[in-house]
Amino acid sequence: MVSLDRFELFCAVVQAGSFTGAAERLQQTRAAVSFSIKQLEAELGVTLLTRTTRSIALTDAGERFYQRCLQVVEDARLAIDEARAEHGGLQGSLRITSTVEYGLKVLAPALQAFCRLHPALSVRLETHTAQVDLVRERFDVAIRLGQAQDSQYRGVCLATYTVRLVLAPSLLAMHGPQLIDSPGDLANVAQLVHSRFEQNNRWTLVDSQARNRLYAPQGTALLVADNASILRAFAVQGAGVALLPDWLVADDLASGQLLDALPGYRFAPQSVYALYPSSRHVPRKVRAWIDFIKAWLLMPGADRPGC
């Protein structure tokens, strides 16, 4: 009988696109992975993969077998999850990915409380500036901000938040009080831009009379960075104007280190999403984490109203 472990290993090779990638993910040697695939092909009596020096590709038989493997592996995980549920608390591992800033500011305290509730569950949080492939990298959940665009994943809206254009008092003193509440003047000041918005840094604002205005920074950005904390640090030093989430700059606004440059305007609300791979079965650990973090974000004082 073909081992279920080889089913999982075969899926990992296909998803990683190489023996080396699968070996790194599974913490095995490349030779061991290659040998296991050869053994699987020998046991089945068919060729599943065509190999070149640089890549692998599924044969027709391999493509059909891969689709079946996904279903078998998912059914096996479901059976394990249901068996563990009868035993009691959550077990196994939960792999989460998010941004550095949100992971540090929001997820860290939430995860600490979640781990206390489920001490037998091993939680791994990885932060990435770019969006990762959840299936290929074997993440259970991604916490992403902005607008959900990953149609291949299932998603839950956890909360909404606002963004603000902020600047330091020193920058305001340099340019004059006309900057505050003036989108036109503010657009000509040095800009600190997140790389996500470098190609499309035009924003629709709504004023106190519910009229739309366009904020379109002029010229080349003084700084483009892939990390909002870096933009915040430059803004605090008076280097320029930055568009940042309220949960990141709330303390700076309260202390006066930063000022809301457009207090009479508001941006469209942004969302926090939990995304997870599409499947017939959502693991209990994933459901538990999503329910927990959604409730956490609704707690009084969080200042992040739920969706």
Side-chain angles (χ1 to χ4, degrees):
M1 181 180 292
V2 178
S3 168
L4 180 61
D5 288 341
R6 290 206 176 115
F7 279 40
E8 290 193 281
L9 187 144
F10 175 67
C11 289
V13 170
V14 175
Q15 291 161 1
S18 68
F19 292 126
T20 301
E24 291 175 352
R25 178 191 301 179
L26 300 173
Q27 297 184 325
Q28 298 184 22
T29 65
R30 184 186 184 283
V33 170
S34 179
F35 176 77
S36 292
I37 295 299
K38 287 179 180 178
Q39 288 291 102
L40 177 60
E41 290 176 321
E43 291 168 350
L44 296 174
V46 296
T47 300
L48 301 173
L49 300 169
T50 57
R51 303 153 172 85
T52 68
T53 55
R54 294 185 178 181
S55 64
I56 61 170
L58 286 167
T59 63
D60 290 342
E63 178 64 43
R64 290 190 294 271
F65 184 69
Y66 173 63
Q67 297 303 323
R68 292 287 190 180
C69 274
L70 288 176
Q71 182 176 336
V72 169
V73 170
E74 182 183 337
D75 287 343
R77 288 173 178 165
L78 172 58
I80 292 170
D81 196 39
E82 289 177 344
R84 285 175 172 167
E86 294 180 5
H87 180 68
L90 300 180
Q91 299 181 39
S93 63
L94 177 67
R95 300 188 73 228
I96 304 168
T97 178
S98 186
T99 64
V100 175
E101 302 86 2
Y102 201 73
L104 180 63
K105 190 78 173 180
V106 181
L107 296 185
L111 275 172
Q112 184 178 6
F114 182 73
C115 290
R116 284 199 299 266
L117 292 175
H118 306 286
L121 182 68
S122 174
V123 177
R124 182 185 182 95
L125 173 64
E126 292 190 17
T127 56
H128 299 85
T129 54
Q131 296 184 354
V132 299
D133 186 316
L134 303 187
V135 175
R136 186 168 61 85
E137 300 297 333
R138 302 186 76 184
F139 282 104
D140 296 300
V141 186
I143 305 298
R144 291 183 178 165
L145 282 63
Q147 301 299 323
Q149 300 174 342
D150 300 273
S151 59
Q152 73 268 34
Y153 303 133
R154 297 171 68 178
V156 176
C157 181
L158 301 175
T160 58
Y161 63 95
T162 60
V163 291
R164 300 172 186 268
L165 275 167
V166 296
L167 78 171
S170 59
L171 187 64
L172 179 63
M174 183 186 304
H175 288 273
Q178 73 277 3
L179 280 187
I180 293 292
D181 236 12
S182 175
D185 289 338
L186 203 64
N188 292 299
V189 177
Q191 303 289 314
L192 310 171
V193 179
H194 199 288
S195 57
R196 285 176 54 197
F197 311 127
E198 185 178 9
Q199 302 304 318
N200 185 23
N201 195 29
R202 297 165 65 86
W203 299 84
T204 299
L205 310 174
V206 179
D207 66 15
S208 57
Q209 277 80 46
R211 297 172 301 190
N212 288 344
R213 294 280 299 274
L214 181 67
Y215 179 72
Q218 305 300 306
T220 304
L222 174 70
L223 173 72
V224 177
D226 63 358
N227 185 300
S229 293
I230 292 176
L231 299 178
R232 173 197 161 275
F234 271 74
V236 167
Q237 294 302 316
V241 179
L243 183 66
L244 296 171
D246 57 354
W247 49 262
L248 182 63
V249 297
D251 292 343
D252 298 313
L253 292 170
S255 68
Q257 276 202 114
L258 290 174
L259 305 174
D260 187 340
L262 296 176
Y265 296 80
R266 56 184 171 85
F267 290 83
Q270 303 294 301
S271 298
V272 182
Y273 288 91
L275 302 180
Y276 52 95
S278 297
S279 65
R280 291 182 295 112
H281 164 65
V282 181
R284 194 165 68 102
K285 61 186 178 183
V286 171
R287 295 197 308 270
W289 163 243
I290 290 176
D291 290 344
F292 179 88
I293 187 61
K294 187 166 187 175
W296 178 275
L297 295 175
L298 286 170
M299 289 175 60
D303 195 28
R304 289 179 292 274
C307 294

